[in-house]
Amino acid sequence: MRHLLSLPRLASRAFNTTARQMKNKVPERQKVFQEDNGLPVHIKGGTTDVLLYRLTMTITVTGTAFSCYWLLMACLPKGKA
């Protein structure tokens, strides 16, 4: 029971900002995303963003194709066996 009573103190200590100072990277990232280099915003983050975009599009197109296939199969009459 003592562990449960000390939980709020531990939680506040974990989120305390004075325990560990982190560098603010937001201005640097804003410069990258606001740069006019002709790239769409969803791939300005680099190679990881490009791979995630392509993976998402592949899953979307494949899922749409499978959905259309199964809808077509459901619409066709079954042959007499």
Side-chain angles (χ1 to χ4, degrees):
M1 187 67 175
R2 274 184 302 161
H3 299 293
L4 292 176
L5 293 174
S6 65
L7 187 61
R9 185 178 48 206
L10 290 173
S12 67
R13 196 177 295 162
F15 291 109
N16 194 351
T17 57
T18 59
R20 176 176 45 145
Q21 294 293 327
M22 296 176 59
K23 185 178 181 237
N24 186 7
K25 296 180 183 178
V26 172
E28 297 168 9
R29 299 300 290 172
Q30 282 178 337
K31 286 179 187 175
V32 170
F33 282 95
Q34 290 176 352
E35 183 179 310
D36 188 19
N37 55 6
L39 292 175
V41 71
H42 56 272
I43 56 176
K44 281 191 176 186
T47 307
T48 305
D49 283 350
V50 171
L51 290 175
L52 287 173
Y53 173 73
R54 288 183 181 167
L55 176 67
T56 302
M57 292 309 294
T58 302
I59 291 171
T60 303
V61 170
T62 305
T64 303
F66 273 123
S67 296
C68 290
Y69 171 78
W70 286 111
L71 281 171
L72 180 65
M73 291 295 115
C75 292
L76 294 177
K78 294 184 179 186
K80 293 184 179 183

